[in-house]
mmCIF file of all heavy atoms in Angstrom:
data_model
loop_
_atom_site.group_PDB
_atom_site.id
_atom_site.type_symbol
_atom_site.label_atom_id
_atom_site.label_comp_id
_atom_site.label_asym_id
_atom_site.label_seq_id
_atom_site.Cartn_x
_atom_site.Cartn_y
_atom_site.Cartn_z
ATOM 1 N N THR J 1 1.805 5.971 -9.062
ATOM 2 C CA THR J 1 1.081 6.005 -7.889
ATOM 3 C C THR J 1 -0.421 6.294 -8.096
ATOM 4 O O THR J 1 -0.642 7.242 -8.903
ATOM 5 C CB THR J 1 1.654 6.965 -6.881
ATOM 6 O OG1 THR J 1 1.696 8.376 -7.466
ATOM 7 C CG2 THR J 1 3.091 6.665 -6.515
ATOM 8 N N LEU J 2 -1.225 5.599 -7.549
ATOM 9 C CA LEU J 2 -2.742 5.744 -7.710
ATOM 10 C C LEU J 2 -3.304 6.638 -6.742
ATOM 11 O O LEU J 2 -4.389 7.157 -6.916
ATOM 12 C CB LEU J 2 -3.318 4.345 -7.751
ATOM 13 C CG LEU J 2 -2.825 3.342 -8.788
ATOM 14 C CD1 LEU J 2 -3.688 2.086 -8.591
ATOM 15 C CD2 LEU J 2 -2.864 3.953 -10.196
ATOM 16 N N GLN J 3 -2.652 6.837 -5.552
ATOM 17 C CA GLN J 3 -3.131 7.765 -4.537
ATOM 18 C C GLN J 3 -1.968 8.484 -3.983
ATOM 19 O O GLN J 3 -0.829 8.144 -4.190
ATOM 20 C CB GLN J 3 -3.755 7.007 -3.363
ATOM 21 C CG GLN J 3 -5.097 6.120 -3.717
ATOM 22 C CD GLN J 3 -4.645 4.776 -4.189
ATOM 23 O OE1 GLN J 3 -3.622 4.261 -3.927
ATOM 24 N NE2 GLN J 3 -5.609 4.101 -4.869
ATOM 25 N N ASP J 4 -2.247 9.581 -3.200
ATOM 26 C CA ASP J 4 -1.147 10.304 -2.507
ATOM 27 C C ASP J 4 -0.600 9.304 -1.451
ATOM 28 O O ASP J 4 -1.294 8.598 -0.836
ATOM 29 C CB ASP J 4 -1.661 11.514 -1.775
ATOM 30 C CG ASP J 4 -2.171 12.630 -2.624
ATOM 31 O OD1 ASP J 4 -1.814 12.613 -3.868
ATOM 32 O OD2 ASP J 4 -2.967 13.458 -2.235
ATOM 33 N N VAL J 5 0.716 9.356 -1.342
ATOM 34 C CA VAL J 5 1.409 8.468 -0.506
ATOM 35 C C VAL J 5 2.226 9.260 0.556
ATOM 36 O O VAL J 5 3.206 9.958 0.236
ATOM 37 C CB VAL J 5 2.409 7.413 -1.162
ATOM 38 C CG1 VAL J 5 2.990 6.437 -0.271
ATOM 39 C CG2 VAL J 5 1.509 6.878 -2.304
ATOM 40 N N PRO J 6 1.872 9.195 1.921
ATOM 41 C CA PRO J 6 2.678 9.910 2.838
ATOM 42 C C PRO J 6 4.130 9.319 2.997
ATOM 43 O O PRO J 6 4.299 8.238 2.684
ATOM 44 C CB PRO J 6 1.869 9.673 4.167
ATOM 45 C CG PRO J 6 0.600 9.282 3.847
ATOM 46 C CD PRO J 6 0.729 8.548 2.602
ATOM 47 N N ALA J 7 4.996 10.128 3.427
ATOM 48 C CA ALA J 7 6.457 9.610 3.676
ATOM 49 C C ALA J 7 6.443 8.530 4.600
ATOM 50 O O ALA J 7 5.763 8.517 5.704
ATOM 51 C CB ALA J 7 7.303 10.851 4.195
ATOM 52 N N GLY J 8 7.212 7.537 4.377
ATOM 53 C CA GLY J 8 7.364 6.324 5.153
ATOM 54 C C GLY J 8 6.273 5.262 4.884
ATOM 55 O O GLY J 8 6.288 4.171 5.466
ATOM 56 N N HIS J 9 5.284 5.593 4.012
ATOM 57 C CA HIS J 9 4.234 4.550 3.699
ATOM 58 C C HIS J 9 4.691 3.769 2.412
ATOM 59 O O HIS J 9 5.705 4.018 1.811
ATOM 60 C CB HIS J 9 2.956 5.296 3.456
ATOM 61 C CG HIS J 9 2.350 5.800 4.770
ATOM 62 N ND1 HIS J 9 1.064 5.408 5.124
ATOM 63 C CD2 HIS J 9 2.824 6.628 5.660
ATOM 64 C CE1 HIS J 9 0.687 6.068 6.254
ATOM 65 N NE2 HIS J 9 1.832 6.755 6.713
ATOM 66 N N LYS J 10 3.868 2.860 2.118
ATOM 67 C CA LYS J 10 4.242 1.759 0.978
ATOM 68 C C LYS J 10 3.222 1.980 -0.264
ATOM 69 O O LYS J 10 2.002 2.288 -0.011
ATOM 70 C CB LYS J 10 4.133 0.454 1.614
ATOM 71 C CG LYS J 10 5.135 0.229 2.828
ATOM 72 C CD LYS J 10 4.739 -1.056 3.583
ATOM 73 C CE LYS J 10 3.445 -0.904 4.394
ATOM 74 N NZ LYS J 10 3.448 0.188 5.363
ATOM 75 N N ILE J 11 3.737 1.404 -1.285
ATOM 76 C CA ILE J 11 2.837 1.145 -2.462
ATOM 77 C C ILE J 11 3.056 -0.258 -3.003
ATOM 78 O O ILE J 11 4.218 -0.796 -2.756
ATOM 79 C CB ILE J 11 2.949 2.192 -3.584
ATOM 80 C CG1 ILE J 11 4.445 2.066 -4.221
ATOM 81 C CG2 ILE J 11 2.655 3.611 -3.142
ATOM 82 C CD1 ILE J 11 4.669 2.721 -5.537
ATOM 83 N N ALA J 12 2.082 -0.787 -3.649
ATOM 84 C CA ALA J 12 2.257 -2.059 -4.349
ATOM 85 C C ALA J 12 3.183 -1.890 -5.511
ATOM 86 O O ALA J 12 3.012 -1.024 -6.294
ATOM 87 C CB ALA J 12 0.993 -2.667 -4.722
ATOM 88 N N ALA J 13 4.262 -2.661 -5.563
ATOM 89 C CA ALA J 13 5.237 -2.637 -6.635
ATOM 90 C C ALA J 13 4.810 -3.504 -7.863
ATOM 91 O O ALA J 13 5.361 -3.317 -8.952
ATOM 92 C CB ALA J 13 6.652 -2.994 -6.249
ATOM 93 N N ARG J 14 3.830 -4.330 -7.563
ATOM 94 C CA ARG J 14 3.197 -5.070 -8.733
ATOM 95 C C ARG J 14 1.890 -5.596 -8.265
ATOM 96 O O ARG J 14 1.367 -5.158 -7.185
ATOM 97 C CB ARG J 14 4.112 -6.339 -8.896
ATOM 98 C CG ARG J 14 4.233 -7.309 -7.632
ATOM 99 C CD ARG J 14 4.844 -8.659 -8.106
ATOM 100 N NE ARG J 14 4.963 -9.490 -6.956
ATOM 101 C CZ ARG J 14 4.067 -10.253 -6.362
ATOM 102 N NH1 ARG J 14 2.755 -10.152 -6.747
ATOM 103 N NH2 ARG J 14 4.319 -10.993 -5.366
ATOM 104 N N PHE J 15 1.089 -6.269 -9.090
ATOM 105 C CA PHE J 15 -0.230 -6.702 -8.750
ATOM 106 C C PHE J 15 -0.037 -7.609 -7.561
ATOM 107 O O PHE J 15 0.757 -8.606 -7.594
ATOM 108 C CB PHE J 15 -0.880 -7.440 -9.978
ATOM 109 C CG PHE J 15 -2.201 -7.999 -9.620
ATOM 110 C CD1 PHE J 15 -3.339 -7.170 -9.447
ATOM 111 C CD2 PHE J 15 -2.315 -9.304 -9.375
ATOM 112 C CE1 PHE J 15 -4.611 -7.797 -9.095
ATOM 113 C CE2 PHE J 15 -3.537 -9.948 -9.058
ATOM 114 C CZ PHE J 15 -4.662 -9.085 -8.912
ATOM 115 N N ILE J 16 -0.918 -7.474 -6.552
ATOM 116 C CA ILE J 16 -0.935 -8.338 -5.375
ATOM 117 C C ILE J 16 -2.422 -8.842 -5.216
ATOM 118 O O ILE J 16 -3.300 -8.158 -5.065
ATOM 119 C CB ILE J 16 -0.500 -7.585 -4.106
ATOM 120 C CG1 ILE J 16 0.879 -6.949 -4.201
ATOM 121 C CG2 ILE J 16 -0.568 -8.596 -2.977
ATOM 122 C CD1 ILE J 16 1.287 -6.137 -3.040
ATOM 123 N N ALA J 17 -2.516 -10.215 -5.361
ATOM 124 C CA ALA J 17 -3.880 -10.819 -5.323
ATOM 125 C C ALA J 17 -4.394 -10.816 -3.893
ATOM 126 O O ALA J 17 -3.705 -10.854 -2.913
ATOM 127 C CB ALA J 17 -3.830 -12.161 -5.928
ATOM 128 N N LYS J 18 -5.798 -10.727 -3.745
ATOM 129 C CA LYS J 18 -6.433 -10.885 -2.451
ATOM 130 C C LYS J 18 -5.892 -12.070 -1.726
ATOM 131 O O LYS J 18 -5.967 -13.221 -2.294
ATOM 132 C CB LYS J 18 -7.982 -10.805 -2.689
ATOM 133 C CG LYS J 18 -8.655 -10.911 -1.290
ATOM 134 C CD LYS J 18 -10.141 -10.952 -1.533
ATOM 135 C CE LYS J 18 -10.928 -11.045 -0.272
ATOM 136 N NZ LYS J 18 -12.404 -11.076 -0.440
ATOM 137 N N GLY J 19 -5.462 -11.900 -0.452
ATOM 138 C CA GLY J 19 -4.960 -13.021 0.301
ATOM 139 C C GLY J 19 -3.482 -13.351 0.179
ATOM 140 O O GLY J 19 -2.946 -14.119 1.011
ATOM 141 N N GLU J 20 -2.935 -12.749 -0.713
ATOM 142 C CA GLU J 20 -1.449 -12.869 -1.007
ATOM 143 C C GLU J 20 -0.668 -12.204 0.160
ATOM 144 O O GLU J 20 -0.977 -11.153 0.617
ATOM 145 C CB GLU J 20 -1.025 -12.338 -2.332
ATOM 146 C CG GLU J 20 0.421 -12.710 -2.727
ATOM 147 C CD GLU J 20 0.760 -12.172 -4.078
ATOM 148 O OE1 GLU J 20 -0.080 -11.776 -4.816
ATOM 149 O OE2 GLU J 20 1.973 -12.063 -4.353
ATOM 150 N N ALA J 21 0.501 -12.875 0.524
ATOM 151 C CA ALA J 21 1.438 -12.236 1.564
ATOM 152 C C ALA J 21 1.933 -10.925 0.991
ATOM 153 O O ALA J 21 2.387 -10.865 -0.184
ATOM 154 C CB ALA J 21 2.458 -13.186 1.936
ATOM 155 N N VAL J 22 1.893 -9.910 1.857
ATOM 156 C CA VAL J 22 2.606 -8.632 1.542
ATOM 157 C C VAL J 22 4.015 -8.818 2.222
ATOM 158 O O VAL J 22 4.138 -9.084 3.345
ATOM 159 C CB VAL J 22 1.819 -7.450 2.133
ATOM 160 C CG1 VAL J 22 2.519 -6.086 1.940
ATOM 161 C CG2 VAL J 22 0.416 -7.519 1.615
ATOM 162 N N ARG J 23 5.028 -8.517 1.338
ATOM 163 C CA ARG J 23 6.403 -8.784 1.800
ATOM 164 C C ARG J 23 7.177 -7.456 1.786
ATOM 165 O O ARG J 23 7.311 -6.779 0.816
ATOM 166 C CB ARG J 23 7.110 -9.783 0.820
ATOM 167 C CG ARG J 23 6.330 -11.171 0.825
ATOM 168 C CD ARG J 23 7.125 -12.163 0.115
ATOM 169 N NE ARG J 23 8.156 -12.732 0.936
ATOM 170 C CZ ARG J 23 8.046 -13.740 1.768
ATOM 171 N NH1 ARG J 23 6.853 -14.320 1.845
ATOM 172 N NH2 ARG J 23 9.009 -14.199 2.464
ATOM 173 N N LYS J 24 7.949 -7.192 2.977
ATOM 174 C CA LYS J 24 8.769 -6.083 3.089
ATOM 175 C C LYS J 24 10.004 -6.613 3.732
ATOM 176 O O LYS J 24 10.006 -7.421 4.801
ATOM 177 C CB LYS J 24 8.153 -5.013 4.028
ATOM 178 C CG LYS J 24 9.038 -3.882 4.350
ATOM 179 C CD LYS J 24 8.224 -2.851 5.185
ATOM 180 C CE LYS J 24 9.219 -1.707 5.580
ATOM 181 N NZ LYS J 24 8.449 -0.749 6.492
ATOM 182 N N TYR J 25 11.188 -6.231 3.263
ATOM 183 C CA TYR J 25 12.414 -6.982 3.693
ATOM 184 C C TYR J 25 12.424 -8.438 3.475
ATOM 185 O O TYR J 25 12.981 -9.189 4.275
ATOM 186 C CB TYR J 25 12.734 -6.549 5.061
ATOM 187 C CG TYR J 25 13.642 -5.454 5.416
ATOM 188 C CD1 TYR J 25 13.159 -4.322 6.135
ATOM 189 C CD2 TYR J 25 14.893 -5.364 4.840
ATOM 190 C CE1 TYR J 25 14.016 -3.219 6.409
ATOM 191 C CE2 TYR J 25 15.722 -4.230 5.083
ATOM 192 C CZ TYR J 25 15.257 -3.154 5.931
ATOM 193 O OH TYR J 25 16.087 -2.071 6.179
#
């Protein structure tokens, strides 16, 4: 983790390029 992450929040699991879709479920 690169920053503190509150409970229920998300982190990038891999590199995500600018403009790329963010996918959950």
Side-chain angles (χ1 to χ4, degrees):
T1 56
L2 302 181
Q3 297 89 20
D4 292 343
V5 184
H9 288 235
K10 301 164 290 298
I11 62 166
R14 61 167 177 77
F15 176 78
I16 304 175
K18 181 178 180 179
E20 184 179 348
V22 178
R23 305 190 75 89
K24 177 181 176 182
Y25 267 124

